[in-house]
Amino acid sequence: MQEQLHLFYTNDLHSNFEQWPRVVSYLKEAKASSSTENDSTWVVDIGDHMDRVHPISEAFMGKANVELLNDAGYDVVTMGNNEGITLSHQDLFHLYDEAEFEVVCANLHSLKGQEPKWLKPTTTIKSVNGIKAGFIGLTAPFNAFYELLDWHVSPHFDMLKACIEELKDSTDIIILLSHLGLSEDQEIARRFEDIDVIIGGHTHHLLRTGEHINNAVITAAGKHCSFIGEVILTWDHDNGKLISKEAYATDISRQPKDLQTEQKLQLLTEKADSILGETVVHLERSIDVQWFKHTKIMQELTETIKNWTSADIAMLNSGLLLDQLPAGDISYGDIHRVCPHPINACVVEVTGNELTEVVRACLKKDFTELKLKGFGFRGEVLGRMVFAGLHVQTAFHDNGEEFVKEVNLPDGEALKSDVTYRVATADTFTFGRLLPEVAKSEVKDYFLPEFLRDHLATTLKEKFSKS
C-alpha cells in the first residue's frame, strides 16, 4: 500500500493581510481535494507571518496573527526574526499562549531561566495510517538583537544534530522548518542525510519545483504569500520507506478571497484602530515631510536619537517618514502610519575618514533615490540624510550634481581622520552594503525594544506640542 502525505506551507507573509483571505481560500480547497481516507494533509508556516508594519500586528503585538493561523487550521509553525526580535521579551514569551498549533524552534532559548510553555524544539505528528513525521524548527541567529531582549539563539548546526539524533529512531520522516535562508538550507541538506524535507524562508526565495540535494528536497514560496507551497511525500508501506518527494509553489494571485476571513480582518482592523487611536500629542500646525529636502521634523528626530543614545553624532534618512502630520490630535496610529518600519537605533564606531566617506556616499543622488526593500525599511526611497552633531557643507557641480565640500563638528573643527566617533543611525545601515563603513564597524550597539517611531512620538511631544 502507498500513502501520500501533503504538506501545504506559507512563509514570510509579513502581515500582508490583503493576501491572507486568498491564502485561506486556497488552503480550504487544497485540503478538501487532497484529503482522502488514505492520505494525510498538514499545514505549516515558516515564520515572519507577523510584521509590525501593519496596524493589526502593531495593535495586538502579533497575537492577532496567531488568531488568524488558528482560524486557518495550521498544524505546526516556526518563528521568524520578525516574531523574535521586534517584540519585548514579555510580548514574545506570551505570543503563542493561545496557539492551537505546535510551535517548534530548537535554537531559541530564554535567558531569564524559564521557557515559554509553547516553545518546543521538535514535534511529531502521525498520519492516518501511522506514519510518524518529525518536525524541527530553526530561526535566524540575530543574537546582537535577541540577547538585548533576554533571548539567545544557539548555533543551528549543533541543535539540528541533537534533534535529528532524537527523531531518527522514533520517526519515519524528518521535516525541517527553516527560517535561515536558502544558502543555509542547502548546506544543511549537504551535511544531514537524515533530513527528508527542508521548507525554507527568510531570504524570500522562490523554488517553484523544489531543489534536490543529498537526500532532501528543499522548497520555499517567495514572500508575502503570493505563492503557496506544497510538498507531496509518497510512503510505501510494503517496503517501509519514502519512494517519492515532490515540491511545488502555486501562484494564488487569482484565487478568490475567503469571505469569512475578510470579515475577520475587518473586525480586527476596527479593533486595531481603537487601540491605536489614543491621542499622543496635539499639533497647532501641520508638520511638513520631504524626502529630498532638509526638514525640521527630521532634524529634531535625529537630535532625539543622538541624545537618547549618547552618541557623538547621529544621522537618519528622510525617507523614514512617509507622510505629513496634520494639525490637530495625533494618535499612535498616525505615528505608526507615518513611520511603520520595525527599525531600531544603533550606535557604530567609525573613524573620521570613514565618516567622511559615509557622508559623501549618502548625499549622492543614487543613494537618496534608492528604492530600498528590506533591512527593516518599509518606505519608498531612502531620502536625504540628516545629521546631528555634524555640520556638512555642500555645493553643486555645473551639471547640478551635489557634492560635499566640508564635514566639520559643530564648533567648526574638522573631523580628525584617525579619531573614532560614535555615530547613531538606523539599524538598516548595519546590514548589507548600503554604507560599507557602517556595516563593517566592529562595534554595533543596538537599542531595543524601542522603534524609531517611539522616538518620533517623544520628539513630537517635546518639540512640537504646545505646552
Side-chain angles (χ1 to χ4, degrees), residues 285-296:
R285 297 183 179 86
S286 63
I287 293 178
D288 188 36
V289 168
Q290 297 284 341
W291 292 339
F292 304 113
K293 295 181 180 179
H294 184 278
T295 60
K296 181 180 179 182

Side-chain angles (χ1 to χ4, degrees), residues 87 109 112 116 124 142 163 188 253 259 277 332 341 361 386 409:
L87 298 171
H109 314 281
K112 289 192 172 184
T124 300
F142 289 102
C163 289
I188 286 170
S253 58
L259 178 59
Y332 192 80
H341 329 273
V386 174
L409 298 173

Side-chain angles (χ1 to χ4, degrees), residues 144-158:
F145 290 87
Y146 274 109
E147 292 182 357
L148 292 172
L149 297 167
D150 293 314
W151 300 95
H152 176 73
V153 178
S154 300
H156 47 269
F157 289 117
D158 294 342

Side-chain angles (χ1 to χ4, degrees), residues 105-118:
C105 193
N107 58 339
L108 178 70
H109 314 281
S110 173
L111 294 177
K112 289 192 172 184
Q114 182 182 4
E115 303 287 8
K117 65 180 182 180
W118 45 261

Side-chain angles (χ1 to χ4, degrees), residues 7-25:
L7 288 96
F8 294 97
Y9 70 87
T10 52
N11 61 274
D12 298 280
L13 176 72
H14 286 276
S15 293
N16 181 28
F17 293 134
E18 175 65 24
Q19 185 71 352
W20 190 245
R22 292 190 179 92
V23 172
V24 176
S25 171

Side-chain angles (χ1 to χ4, degrees), residues 20-21 24 28 68 258-266:
W20 190 245
V24 176
K28 284 182 177 180
L68 291 168
D258 180 70
L259 178 59
Q260 187 176 2
T261 303
E262 285 195 287
Q263 292 171 339
K264 179 64 168 285
L265 285 166
Q266 180 59 39

